[in-house]
Amino acid sequence: VPYGLGVHLEFALLARAGIANDQILRMATAEGALALGLEQQIGTLEEGKLADFVVLDGDPLARIADTLRIVAVAKGGIWYDRAALLSAP
């Protein structure tokens, strides 16, 4: 399973197991950073932290599958829209 898709499949399995969507998203972000010992640098959107993030067309708090509705990604201060993400390198 490709890495990116694997994350979304894991989200679906966690939701099916009864874990609330907000907790799934927290595990993937803030708790992941904590597990890596990087909670001071990443994991939440706060002043002074690195801010790579995904822009979605949907509400993953209401429907976890909306995490697949990616519009753009901001990584390392560079904005990548959906077309750029899907284009061949």
Side-chain angles (χ1 to χ4, degrees):
V1 174
Y3 172 74
L5 184 56
V7 170
H8 297 283
L9 293 173
E10 185 174 345
F11 290 170
L13 290 171
L14 290 167
R16 191 178 310 158
I19 298 173
N21 292 353
D22 65 319
Q23 292 303 308
I24 294 169
L25 297 172
R26 178 173 286 286
M27 286 189 288
T29 56
E31 299 298 327
L34 181 64
L36 294 171
L38 297 173
E39 69 276 7
Q40 298 301 314
Q41 295 86 24
I42 63 171
T44 56
L45 291 175
E46 297 179 55
E47 185 176 343
K49 287 188 174 185
L50 298 174
D52 295 345
F53 58 91
V54 177
V55 178
L56 304 174
D57 179 19
D59 181 2
L61 293 175
R63 187 175 175 288
I64 200 66
D66 282 356
T67 59
L68 286 163
R69 299 182 65 176
I70 299 168
V71 173
V73 173
K75 182 172 181 356
I78 300 172
W79 181 268
Y80 301 93
D81 64 19
R82 185 171 181 83
L85 294 169
L86 296 175
S87 66

